[in-house]
Structures are given as C-alpha cells and as structure tokens.
Amino acid sequence: MGSSSKRKKDKQKDFQKPKLKVGKTKAKPDNYTDTSFKSKSIVLTQQSLHLAAPTSNATFTHNLSLLSAKSDSQRRDSLAYLTTSISSRPVNSPLPQPVSVILPSLLPLILDGATSVRTQLLKLLRTLPPGDVEDHVAQLLPYVRAGMTHLAADIRSSAVEILSWMVEAAGESTVSCAGGWIKTLNCFLSVLGWHTEESSQWSSSRASFGKSGSQGKPMVKTLGALAMFLDAGIGKPSVDGVDSEMSGEDESPDWPFPLCQTAQHMISDSSTPFAYLNLFGKPRDEEGEMYETREDRYRVFSTRFQPAIERGIKSAREEGGELGRASSGVSKVLKEAIAYGPGP
Amino acid sequence: MVKRKLGALEKVEADLPNLQHKIRRDPKSYIEDFRAQHYQYESHREIYMAAPSSATDTGLISLRDLIDFISHVADCYPGICKDFPQQLIDMLMQHHLVLETELREKLVGSLVLLKKKDLLDSATLLHTLFPILISTPSKTLRALLFQKILSELRTANSKTTNHKLNRTMQTVLFNLVTSDRTSAKGLWAIKITRELWKRQIWTEAKAVEVMKEAALSQNEKVIIGGVRFFLGGDKEREELEDEDSEEEVNVGQVKHQLTINKKTRKKARTAEKAIKAVRNKERKKGNPSPLNFSALHLLHDPQGFAENMFFKHLQNGKSNLKLEQKLQVLQLVSRLVGLHKLHIMPLYSYFQKFLTPRQPSVTSFLASLAQASHDLVPPDVLEPLVQKIANEFVSEASAGEVATAGLNAIREICVRQPLAIEETLLQDLVMYKKSKDKGVMMASKGLLSLYRDVGAQMLKKRDRGKEAAMSLRAGERQERRYGEQAVGEIEGLELLAKWKDEERRKKNIENGLPSDAEDNEEENDEADWAAWNVEDDEDSDVDGEWINVEDDADIVLSDSEDEGKPASKKAKQEEEDKKEADKEIDFMKLATTRILTPADLAKLTELRAQAAANATLPGNKGRVAAPWTSRHTDDPLTAGEIEGLAALSAAKATREERIAHAREGKTDRSEHMSKEARRKERKEEQGKSTTNKEKARKKNFLMTLGKARSKNKRSLVETRAVLRAHVDRGKRGGRRGNVGQ
C-alpha cells in the first residue's frame, strides 16, 4: 500500500492515456524490443548446390560421416542407409568404400547407448562380405570385449551377438588374433559370472549390478555364443580344415609333380602373415599373445579355463529350463574337444 | 509377477559412481562386477593405445571414467589391480604429449590417489611425475604436476623426515641442474627446492648444493633463480614461520560460541579441530626448535663458489647478464665474502670502475663493496677504493644525496675494516659534520663516532670526544692491528659477574660480615651446585614477558662533545676506569674458573634482556649501541642503508612525500577516538549486538515520522494520559516494573 505521495503519483502514471499527436510517429510501447541490427557484411555459409543429384558414392561417404552425429536417430538412419546401399549393390561388385574405411567409424557404435543403433549396426555388419572382415577382426575384438563387459546389460547382449557373428564370419582369425583367445574367454566368464566357484553357484545371490536387459534371456544367448566360440577355438578340426592343412604334405592338385611344398614358399594369403612376430607393436603379455594353433589354444584352455567352464556348465544344467538346454550345447562342444585331446 | 521397482540410480545405463559406492561398502559381493569393469578398462585401454592421438569418445563410458573408478576402488582388489598403477604410468609417460588434457589430468590425479592408497610408493610417483614436469609443453599440466609433486613431498615428510626420498629427489634435481647447464629446465629444480626450503622440509646442505649448481649455470634465468634463493630464501622461510605462528585460535571463544549458537556437527568438528591445533602448538612449543642454518652457512666451499661466481658471471666478458642481474650476483658474492671472510682480490679492483655517481644504481654497488670488506682484507686494497669514493662523491660541489651516500659507504667499509682509510682523508671527511645539509652532516657524524670507537688516535684532538680522549690517555685503547682478533667471550658475562657480586654482598650483609669480605668459596660452590637446575617457578619467571627495567634511570642529557670538565672529576674518572679494567679481568675469571650451571645461564639471558630493555630508555641515549654493532652478521647491507638519510638532504621533496614523512612516526588518527566510539567499534568488530538506545538512535527517520506526526495531532486529553502514563511508569520502575523486588 503506497501511502507516500510519490508512490501515488507513480501509480497514477500507469493509467494515464498516452497523448497522440498529429504528424508525429506513434510512441513506442514500454515493452518494445529493438530488433534492428547493423552489419558491415553478410557472410553466407558455403553451400554446395548442384544441379545433379549427388552420386551414390558421395552419399555413402556422407552417411558414413554422419555416424558420429549427436542424435541417435540420425545415426540409426545413416546405418540403415549404409546397410541398404551395401546389400542392394550389384552382385560381385566391390563395396562403395573398402571395409578398412567403413570399419573405424562403425567400431565406436558397438558401445552405443541406443539399442536401435546397435541392432541396425549388427544388420550392417552382417551384410559385409566375410572375407573382408577376416583381416579386421583384431580391430573389432577390443570393442566387442568392451561391450561384453559393459555396465549396461543391453550393450552386453548385443556385443555377444556381434561376437557370434564374428565367429560365424571369421572364426579362425577371431580365436587366433592377438588377445583373441584368453581375453575373450575371460570376458565370457565375467559375463556369465563363472569366474569363481562361489559366484557360479545358482543359489548364490548374484548381486549383479546395472540395469538388467530389456531383451530377455541374455544368458541363453551368451551360452550359445560361447559354444560357437569354443567350437571355433578348440573344436575338432573339420574335414575340410584337415584337408587344407594336409595339402602341403600331400601332393597338391595345384602344383605339378616336381614341385613339392611350394605353397609354403609362395606369398601368403593372409593380409598380415607375420603378425605373430609383433614387429611394430608393444610387447605382449601372456593374455595378449596370439594363439594361432589349436594345440596352443587347447593347452591354455585346459590350464586356465576348463575347470571354471565345467563348473559353470554343471550349475547351469542344474538350473534347468532354457538355460539348461543351452548349456548342453556348450557341454557337447566341450566333450568333443576334450575327446580330441591336445591334438593329433 | 510384480514388476520390480528400480532405484533412481539404477535406471541410468552406466552408473559407475553408484557401483563405486556399493563396492566401497561391500567389496566381496561385487567382485564380479568389478572384474567386468576391469576387463572393460583393459579393452578400452587397448583401443586407446592403438591410436592414442586420434582416439574418439567411445559411447557411454570413457576411459577416463573407468580409470577414475578403478583407482578409487583399487585398494579393495589388490590382486586384480596389481598392474594398474604401472599401466597408468606407462600411459602417461609414453603419451603425455598427445593425450587429451582431461584424460592426462585424470591420470595424474589417479596416480596420486593410488599413492595415497599405498598401491604406489612415492619414489616411483615422483620419478614418473618429475620427468614429465620438465618436458611437457603444456602449462596447465606443468602447474598441476608441480603442485602434486610438492604436496607429495610434503606429505612424505609430514610425520618424520623421509631422508631416503629426499636424497633421491635432491639427486634428481642436482642432476637436472648439472646435466645441461644451458637449458632453462633447471628452473624447476630451483622452484621445488625453494618451496621446500621455505617450508623447512629440506634444510640440508644437499638442497643448498642444488642451488649452488643452479647459480653457476649458464642460463640467466637459472642463475638468477639460484642467486635469489641465496639472497632471500632464508628470509622467506622466517616470514612463513612467523605467519604460521601468528594465526591463533581463541579456544575459549570457540567453546563459548558452541554453548550459545545452534549445535551442529560441523561446528562441533571445527571446535574440536581448533582445540587440537592449539594442543599441537603447545606441544610443539615444548620441543626444541630445529636448528636451521641459513643457506649461506651450509655451503660447502664458499671460497670456490664465490670465486666461480665472480669469474664466471662478473669478470667474464662473455656473460650476458643485465646490470640488474649482475648486481644480484655481485650482492651474493660480496655477501659470501663478508660472511665467510673470503679473499677474492680481483673483486675489489672490479669495483673501481663502477664507483662514480653517474653509474646507475651506484648505491647497490657501494653496499656490495661495503659488504665485501672485512677485517682480513688488506687495507692497501681497500684504500684506493675509499679514496675514489671520497673523490667522486664527497665534495662541497656534489649534491647532498651523493655526498651522503659516499660518506655512508665509507663508514660501512670502515666499520668492517677500520684500517682502510688514511688519517688525512678521515680528518677531511669528519669536517663535513658542520655541513648545512642534514644528510651529509649526519653521515659525517656517523663516521666520526665510529672512529671515536675504533681509532680515536686518527682523529684530530678536538674531535676525539671525552671518553675516547681519556681512554687514549690512559693507554688502554690501542689501535687494532691488521689481522688482530678480539678475545672471545660470552655475551653478557660481565652482567652475570656483577650480579653475583651483588648477591654475595647482600648475603654478607645479612650475615653481618663486611660487604667486601670473601666468603669461603666452598660453601658458595655448594649452594651453586644445589641450584644446578632452573627451578620451575624461576623458569616461568624467565619465560614471562616481564623484565625489570630500572625505574630510576637518571636522565643525563650530556653532550659528549663538550670537553670542559673539572680536573678533579677527571682524576676520579680515571680511577674508576682502572677499577673497571680490573673488573674486566675479574669477570673473565668467572668463565675460566667455573662451570656455568643452567641456572646461571638462565639468569644470564634474563640479565641480558634486562640490559637491552634498559638501553632503550630515553635516559641512556648516549649508551645506545651504535647501529653498526647491532647488525647481525647474516643480515645483508642494502642500498637503502647506503642512501641513508639522503631523503633529508633532498631539498625538493614533493608535498606528499613531506606529509608522509611527517606522518611517519605518528600514531594513526583513528586512535584519537573517544572511549565510547572505540568501545562501539570493538563491539561491532566482535559481531555483538547493540543496545536499545543505539537501535533507537539509528532508526530510519521515515519510520519515526508517523509517530511524530501523530503526536502533534493528539488532543489535550490524550496528551495528559500519555504524560500520566509516563510518570506512572517511572514510579513503577519501567515497563516491567519492580514487581519482584
């Protein structure tokens, strides 16, 4: 309540009618905002306007660069575009960009927070030709392992899916690349919670942390992937494999009679034939070492992982249900491998 | 099945802080989760190390978060994390140039954290951080590393001195300075050493050695850093110590506040802390203070060092130091020469060319020269310098300031080496005591009084003064020869002897013996041995601030210059002098024939303090020790002292300067406030409330206006009622009334 004369006057002012005068501009209201501006120059951002539509190659590259966009729908859409453009290309024509260019921008998406992006990513990976993937497994694996041990369960399960795709596409190089055997198996154990005796028991309160996955049955999926992985690593070599291995010793159909063991002296098929020498990388420890032959892998497996995995399978079987059924797949692979022993 | 309710934090996809919290509470149950995160970290590290420079942010969790997480809980799983510190070290050491800043800082922070958790020893930590500190081009990282290294060294030395760590670190710093003398990297060694010296963590000769090497380097920044340390490091240390002791907490006040204010846990904690701090301080007070030698005293080979400095930075034509820097070097060299009585003969001829009034900052040169002279410098080296100063600076024609500076410089040189001046020159210079210029006059009088003390025979007869003339006549004062050393003595011993004498006399009087009688020594001795230890009450007496000051110090304003005194008095004086001479021998006997007990020593300090207090009384003006005798040998001589009272001789001081000068000795104006005002100020300072009266006085005028107006409008009846009520209230004794009484 304004009692002073000054305040009363102030109040009066609000209700006074503004006087308009002929020939003068109308007074500006109190809440008028001046939006005019002065500028010495106007800068137009560069535009690339073309009459012709961009080539498919250019859009492919553009979409590849959009993979690091902030919004996840944008990323997902770009991935979808890439998928369709790869899958719909004419048969036997090369990829719009080589895998070595595509892959670096795909890798971080394995750990992407959005589920839709990850599923789309898996679709894209599936369209890639398996032969090209083989050389880049070593790049892929660290990301997959990071995904497998991620705090978010969804990311874990999708990483397991990607791993099973990798085993399908390039099983041999997956298990034999640097760190591919021990480290990945470690990750499996940690995903399944089979590391210690205590934690592998079904009755133990599995104080698993983090958000449980929205897509159910991650354990089942993981067990399936493990079975495939073990099969690729220490499974009984298939007849084809034996054949190709033996081909050097037997007379080969490619090389006529006087040439023997010539295949060994030719340029190698694989892209990195001397990777095991590790000429340029840092010295590797036992876990990061390459285990190229089944024999090596089996030795490592039997000393480090066999007891833990057997224990885990046993408890999974006891749990029964879908999980028990999935575990039987693993135990079958394991049995075969053990029956085959350390090798011929 | 009922859908499980999710906690707010669990909804978040990747919540490392939450997991960290849970692990802290129950590490055993979450081992699997931790293991998964550790694998996660391993794979992220692998990804990162494959391309450290071009690493992209990987999704929800970055490597930085993982490192932070693992280093926080690493102590819960030592088995899993045993390689973790080494991995961090490798990452930092190999890639610190290309790592992104945040990750780099996180790495440093995590390493320090791991050290705190004892997963890493401090030597390794320092060996990791230090090389990066001196090699990284990033300023922020350097600042961070420097701070971390310092705090690490401080914590390592907080409980007990960690000699091993200190030694290794000092060796590293030493090697850094000596390995490449042209590089500026030695600056880091200087910074660290200086900081630790200031905080009294490093007080050994080895640290001084590092600085010595720095001062001898070829990079000017490093040189000046080292020189500055020697010139100011100790002062800095003392200042810091004073600061530390100044901050005092009033325990009583804290406790009192705790009873009044709202009781919170925080307040209780602060009070506890304050009490603890005070207790600690008290305990520290009891401890013997650590011996802290100044850096100049801890030098191993001062002669070699000073020579090296001189020939390398001053005499050497190739050295590209600026004048200012050269002056600092010169200051250090001359201080070393003066302090350790070194002999660097070329130093004095080096001064020759700088001793002209036109030389920039010549007073600093003069101060350095004075500092560099001591009683073992041959007089014939100093004589030409003194002569030159006198010729260049001191003449009737030269400005007052110049002459003052010259005279002061000559005096300072002669304090240290009285033989440096010729008789005729001295007598000439003393004549300036009649100068119109006050600065010159004072400086000249200073020189005069100095020579009355140390070489009265060089003065003209009429300048000698009473005391000097008489002692000359008695023949007890002789010219000090070159190289002659004074007999060592215990400071204040004559006071003790005198006191003992008095005590004995008192006792004798009590016993009814003649006051001069010698009592049997044995008894006396026994009594002394009984009082071997300082008794407690006596001790507290010494500790207390109270010192007896002569209250009847006779104020004699005798000018020592006037000579006409009655002959009879003179004779008496002579007799007294003789007696005094006897006494001198007597008190020396005290030191040579007896063992001084702690009680004696305590008494000695007390007597000394008393004597010092007496000396400052106005009555004892004549006996106040001359300024040059009160100087401690460690204190430097500054250019300001050489300029002396030049301010007085400067005729054209600005008005502001004059006002400032006039105001110098006066107390602050605010001290002349009324008692009431001062009380009010003090109250306000302490945050206490005001009285009702004060509140009424301060009340906003507009608030009182309404009442005042309404008072005007009261009717007669109303006014009467109010007045009556007032009288009534007065009778009752205020609003509340004196009901209870």
Side-chain angles (χ1 to χ4, degrees):
Chain A
M1 298 301 277
S3 58
S4 74
S5 57
K6 192 183 166 203
R7 233 188 257 171
K8 269 176 193 163
K9 259 182 213 162
D10 272 354
K11 266 196 173 166
Q12 282 293 314
K13 226 183 248 170
D14 289 343
F15 299 103
Q16 259 161 13
K17 213 175 182 185
K19 279 179 185 167
L20 299 174
K21 283 183 180 167
V22 180
K24 297 261 164 97
T25 48
K26 201 173 145 189
K28 298 259 161 53
D30 272 350
N31 56 359
Y32 173 74
T33 312
D34 188 14
T35 53
S36 65
F37 65 91
K38 282 176 193 163
S39 172
K40 279 187 179 162
S41 62
I42 298 175
V43 180
L44 290 178
T45 50
Q46 216 163 29
Q47 294 182 349
S48 55
L49 296 174
H50 297 286
L51 282 176
T55 60
S56 64
N57 231 345
T59 31
F60 191 89
T61 324
H62 177 63
N63 273 302
L64 209 55
S65 70
L66 284 180
L67 289 181
S68 54
K70 275 276 182 297
S71 84
D72 34 325
S73 58
Q74 177 69 66
R75 270 175 281 156
R76 190 197 54 217
D77 294 347
S78 308
L79 277 175
Y81 175 81
L82 294 180
T83 317
T84 46
S85 65
I86 287 175
S87 57
S88 64
R89 76 183 196 277
V91 185
N92 285 336
S93 68
L95 292 172
Q97 294 278 343
V99 174
S100 57
V101 174
I102 301 175
L103 214 53
S105 42
L106 293 184
L107 291 175
L109 296 181
I110 295 175
L111 304 173
D112 198 289
T115 319
S116 56
V117 174
R118 272 177 280 122
T119 45
Q120 193 61 51
L121 172 70
L122 188 61
K123 277 180 201 162
L124 172 58
L125 289 175
R126 288 218 165 104
T127 56
L128 293 176
D132 289 358
V133 173
E134 211 163 305
D135 297 335
H136 300 287
V137 163
Q139 277 179 316
L140 266 163
L141 258 184
Y143 282 90
V144 171
R145 279 201 299 267
M148 279 169 75
T149 52
H150 205 278
L151 263 183
D154 287 349
I155 296 181
R156 258 179 298 182
S157 67
S158 60
V160 167
E161 276 168 28
I162 290 174
L163 183 68
S164 49
W165 161 74
M166 274 169 65
V167 173
E168 262 172 46
E172 178 61 25
S173 49
T174 306
V175 290
S176 64
C177 80
W181 186 239
I182 295 189
K183 282 187 180 174
T184 316
L185 272 177
N186 264 332
C187 287
F188 265 117
L189 289 189
S190 124
V191 172
L192 294 164
W194 286 357
H195 259 297
T196 56
E197 197 160 356
E198 215 174 287
S199 60
S200 64
Q201 272 162 12
W202 68 271
S203 61
S204 72
S205 62
R206 196 171 291 147
S208 82
F209 181 82
K211 196 182 171 188
S212 58
S214 52
Q215 310 160 331
K217 300 160 200 136
M219 282 283 273
V220 179
K221 222 181 278 174
T222 315
L223 280 176
L226 177 62
M228 283 170 69
F229 186 73
L230 285 180
D231 191 34
I234 53 171
K236 193 176 175 186
S238 62
V239 186
D240 285 356
V242 172
D243 231 18
S244 62
E245 229 170 70
M246 295 299 161
S247 64
E249 290 167 21
D250 296 338
E251 73 275 22
S252 106
D254 300 350
W255 302 100
F257 157 66
L259 301 171
C260 69
Q261 298 182 346
T262 313
Q264 312 293 353
H265 303 291
M266 299 308 292
I267 294 172
S268 171
D269 292 339
S270 72
S271 61
T272 50
F274 299 111
Y276 63 94
L277 289 175
N278 191 25
L279 288 174
F280 305 109
K282 282 196 314 170
R284 297 169 177 148
D285 55 351
E286 193 192 356
E287 291 190 0
E289 196 47 77
M290 293 175 83
Y291 295 101
E292 286 194 291
T293 62
R294 185 192 171 276
E295 197 181 338
D296 285 344
R297 288 194 291 266
Y298 186 78
R299 179 172 47 77
V300 170
F301 177 78
S302 58
T303 50
R304 297 182 77 156
F305 298 106
Q306 199 176 338
I309 286 187
E310 275 172 353
R311 194 173 55 218
I313 290 171
K314 192 172 155 246
S315 65
R317 198 173 53 234
E318 280 163 3
E319 213 164 317
E322 210 166 345
L323 196 64
R325 245 170 287 145
S327 73
S328 68
V330 182
S331 62
K332 194 179 143 216
V333 172
L334 202 59
K335 250 180 223 158
E336 272 176 22
I338 291 168
Y340 191 68
Chain B
M1 200 172 108
V2 185
K3 206 173 180 188
R4 198 171 67 93
K5 268 190 182 170
L6 286 174
L9 281 172
E10 273 180 294
K11 281 177 193 162
V12 185
E13 291 274 349
D15 189 18
L16 282 176
N18 191 11
L19 179 58
Q20 180 186 327
H21 174 64
K22 287 185 170 170
I23 285 179
R24 278 242 144 274
R25 279 192 308 182
D26 186 6
K28 234 173 137 188
S29 314
Y30 286 94
I31 188 164
E32 280 304 311
D33 290 284
F34 177 76
R35 213 193 291 270
Q37 290 317 301
H38 194 254
Y39 286 134
Q40 169 103 353
Y41 152 76
E42 290 270 2
S43 11
H44 272 276
R45 194 173 68 91
E46 204 173 313
I47 295 164
Y48 203 89
M49 296 301 261
S53 53
S54 64
T56 51
D57 198 20
T58 45
L60 289 174
I61 297 176
S62 63
L63 180 60
R64 196 174 66 239
D65 298 333
L66 283 167
I67 288 173
D68 186 42
F69 166 74
I70 293 180
S71 53
H72 269 101
V73 294
D75 52 333
C76 300
Y77 309 106
I80 300 175
C81 304
K82 63 176 184 296
D83 292 337
F84 181 65
Q86 193 54 45
Q87 284 168 352
L88 293 192
I89 289 174
D90 289 345
M91 218 189 286
L92 191 63
M93 294 276 257
Q94 289 162 13
H95 302 291
H96 68 89
L97 289 173
V98 292
L99 286 178
E100 57 174 323
T101 38
E102 281 183 346
L103 179 61
R104 201 165 52 186
E105 276 162 24
K106 179 58 75 186
L107 281 174
V108 175
S110 301
L111 282 174
V112 172
L113 187 65
L114 290 174
K115 158 69 201 23
K116 245 182 236 163
K117 292 181 187 295
D118 270 337
L119 297 171
L120 189 68
D121 59 335
S122 44
T124 326
L125 179 65
L126 290 174
H127 276 301
T128 311
L129 299 187
F130 190 68
I132 300 172
L133 172 71
I134 53 179
S135 60
T136 182
S138 151
K139 202 173 179 184
T140 50
L141 181 63
R142 276 196 309 248
L144 178 76
L145 286 171
F146 182 64
Q147 183 235 329
K148 294 287 182 204
I149 287 174
L150 269 189
S151 65
E152 175 51 38
L153 280 168
R154 280 178 74 184
T155 47
N157 283 300
S158 61
K159 289 222 175 89
T160 52
T161 328
N162 190 343
H163 287 293
K164 200 175 157 212
L165 182 70
N166 287 348
R167 221 178 304 127
T168 50
M169 198 61 201
Q170 280 158 1
T171 318
V172 168
L173 295 184
F174 186 83
N175 291 341
L176 174 70
V177 173
T178 50
S179 60
D180 185 7
R181 287 186 183 274
T182 50
S183 79
K185 281 177 183 170
L187 220 50
W188 290 107
I190 290 171
K191 270 187 151 184
I192 291 175
T193 313
R194 183 153 193 180
E195 193 65 30
L196 292 172
W197 183 268
K198 189 170 95 178
R199 300 188 183 282
Q200 302 204 21
I201 294 164
W202 286 2
T203 52
E204 315 92 317
K206 183 90 184 176
V208 177
E209 202 75 354
V210 171
M211 293 311 242
K212 176 184 158 182
E213 289 304 323
L216 289 174
S217 90
Q218 279 158 16
N219 185 297
E220 48 192 285
K221 274 186 185 168
V222 180
I223 296 170
I224 294 308
V227 169
R228 279 225 182 105
F229 168 77
F230 283 110
L231 290 177
D234 294 303
K235 205 170 178 195
E236 206 179 49
R237 183 167 74 176
E238 275 164 31
E239 273 165 15
L240 188 79
E241 205 171 7
D242 291 348
E243 255 172 49
D244 283 350
S245 55
E246 258 171 34
E247 47 171 78
E248 269 186 25
V249 195
N250 191 349
V251 185
Q253 196 176 0
V254 170
K255 274 185 180 166
H256 177 67
Q257 273 176 355
L258 205 63
T259 58
I260 291 168
N261 294 339
K262 192 182 168 192
K263 289 166 190 63
T264 62
R265 217 178 289 163
K266 189 183 175 193
K267 271 176 191 160
R269 225 180 297 136
T270 43
E272 214 168 85
K273 215 182 256 176
I275 291 166
K276 211 181 202 178
V278 168
R279 208 174 286 155
N280 266 348
K281 198 176 275 177
E282 260 162 27
R283 201 184 307 144
K284 249 186 213 167
K285 221 183 255 171
N287 288 348
S289 60
L291 279 178
N292 284 329
F293 292 106
S294 81
L296 293 172
H297 285 289
L298 284 174
L299 274 173
H300 273 322
D301 175 19
Q303 172 78 37
F305 178 48
E307 267 177 16
N308 260 339
M309 290 281 284
F310 177 64
F311 289 119
K312 210 168 179 183
H313 301 318
L314 298 174
Q315 194 87 323
N316 186 1
K318 277 180 207 157
S319 92
N320 49 0
L321 295 178
K322 286 181 210 126
L323 177 70
E324 206 179 313
Q325 296 167 330
K326 266 191 181 168
L327 265 175
Q328 281 180 333
V329 176
L330 186 63
Q331 249 171 38
L332 175 58
V333 171
S334 62
R335 217 162 136 200
L336 280 172
V337 169
L339 190 65
H340 293 282
K341 304 204 170 167
L342 310 176
H343 286 269
I344 306 179
M345 289 310 141
L347 175 66
Y348 302 100
S349 50
Y350 170 79
F351 272 112
Q352 192 87 32
K353 68 177 171 195
F354 295 107
L355 298 179
T356 62
R358 273 174 303 281
Q359 168 70 32
S361 55
V362 67
T363 46
S364 298
F365 278 104
L366 289 172
S368 297
L369 172 59
Q371 236 175 186
S373 47
H374 52 85
D375 58 356
L376 294 181
V377 179
D380 50 343
V381 177
L382 285 175
E383 234 168 71
L385 289 170
V386 172
Q387 189 74 48
K388 180 154 192 211
I389 294 172
N391 290 344
E392 295 270 357
F393 289 79
V394 191
S395 72
E396 292 290 353
S398 63
E401 301 101 308
V402 176
T404 311
L407 280 169
N408 277 338
I410 291 175
R411 193 195 69 213
E412 288 296 340
I413 294 170
C414 294
V415 168
R416 291 164 175 81
Q417 174 54 296
L419 303 172
I421 195 167
E422 280 171 29
E423 206 171 313
T424 46
L425 178 62
L426 175 67
Q427 284 167 4
D428 276 358
L429 294 180
V430 164
M431 303 253 269
Y432 281 96
K433 75 182 180 198
K434 296 279 196 266
S435 164
K436 287 272 163 48
D437 192 300
K438 196 166 182 196
V440 178
M441 183 261 279
M442 300 277 271
S444 173
K445 275 189 179 170
L447 191 63
L448 173 65
S449 60
L450 168 70
Y451 269 89
R452 277 181 182 167
D453 245 16
V454 297
Q457 70 288 343
M458 289 169 79
L459 295 167
K460 274 183 189 158
K461 251 185 192 165
R462 64 158 186 270
D463 289 330
R464 284 178 191 171
K466 185 182 77 181
E467 265 180 51
M470 279 191 303
S471 59
L472 262 188
R473 200 166 308 153
E476 67 186 39
R477 209 177 281 183
Q478 276 167 1
E479 193 186 356
R480 178 86 58 87
R481 299 261 186 86
Y482 171 66
E484 192 180 330
Q485 293 292 318
V487 182
E489 60 181 29
I490 301 168
E491 196 186 345
L493 192 65
E494 73 275 11
L495 294 172
L496 186 69
K498 201 170 140 200
W499 178 77
K500 286 224 158 175
D501 211 34
E502 262 168 31
E503 288 292 295
R504 199 180 57 209
R505 212 170 280 171
K506 262 186 220 165
K507 209 193 263 175
N508 284 348
I509 288 169
E510 271 173 25
N511 294 347
L513 292 167
S515 61
D516 282 348
E518 297 278 328
D519 56 0
N520 52 350
E521 287 276 318
E522 278 175 35
E523 196 180 298
N524 201 10
D525 270 1
E526 254 170 46
D528 271 347
W529 290 113
W532 173 267
N533 267 322
V534 190
E535 273 129 50
D536 283 342
D537 49 2
E538 206 178 340
D539 190 28
S540 65
D541 197 42
V542 174
D543 272 352
E545 301 284 301
W546 295 104
I547 293 166
N548 285 331
V549 176
E550 270 179 57
D551 45 8
D552 55 354
D554 44 350
I555 296 169
V556 189
L557 289 167
S558 67
D559 194 351
S560 55
E561 269 186 55
D562 58 0
E563 290 158 43
K565 287 251 173 179
S568 61
K569 271 196 176 177
K570 223 177 241 175
K572 209 174 173 186
Q573 190 79 32
E574 262 172 43
E575 213 166 76
E576 264 179 27
D577 283 350
K578 209 178 251 176
K579 244 186 191 173
E580 263 174 29
D582 284 349
K583 260 186 198 165
E584 209 164 279
I585 301 160
D586 213 35
F587 78 72
M588 284 309 290
K589 208 175 86 183
L590 190 68
T592 49
T593 57
R594 293 163 43 94
I595 295 169
L596 292 176
T597 63
D600 281 342
L601 292 176
K603 191 71 201 172
L604 186 66
T605 48
E606 189 187 340
L607 286 171
R608 236 187 298 169
Q610 196 177 333
N614 279 341
T616 53
L617 279 185
N620 289 335
K621 216 172 197 174
R623 303 227 178 104
V624 174
W628 54 84
T629 54
S630 63
R631 169 194 295 286
H632 192 264
T633 44
D634 277 4
D635 292 340
L637 182 67
T638 57
E641 281 168 73
I642 293 294
E643 279 161 28
L645 297 167
L648 287 179
S649 53
K652 282 169 202 159
T654 60
R655 183 161 178 274
E656 284 76 32
E657 278 172 352
R658 263 177 293 160
I659 290 171
H661 190 247
R663 207 173 264 171
E664 225 162 50
K666 285 179 187 165
T667 53
D668 203 7
R669 185 73 203 151
S670 63
E671 277 177 34
H672 296 294
M673 282 191 306
S674 74
K675 212 189 234 174
E676 196 64 29
R678 231 181 290 172
R679 192 176 296 157
K680 207 191 276 177
E681 201 172 65
R682 194 171 59 223
K683 255 186 158 183
E684 212 159 285
E685 233 169 56
Q686 289 169 344
K688 286 180 177 161
S689 58
T690 51
T691 61
N692 284 345
K693 225 180 199 176
E694 276 168 333
K695 277 177 188 141
R697 209 176 288 148
K698 275 190 179 170
K699 196 166 186 177
N700 189 356
F701 162 70
L702 282 173
M703 289 167 131
T704 62
L705 198 63
K707 194 174 182 184
R709 265 196 197 144
S710 71
K711 269 184 182 172
N712 269 343
K713 288 174 187 167
R714 275 180 199 158
S715 70
L716 272 177
V717 178
E718 273 171 335
T719 314
R720 188 183 60 194
V722 169
L723 285 176
R724 274 213 182 123
H726 178 74
V727 172
D728 195 31
R729 202 161 51 236
K731 274 179 190 163
R732 254 190 299 139
R735 271 186 203 283
R736 282 195 205 152
N738 302 325
V739 183
Q741 282 124 16

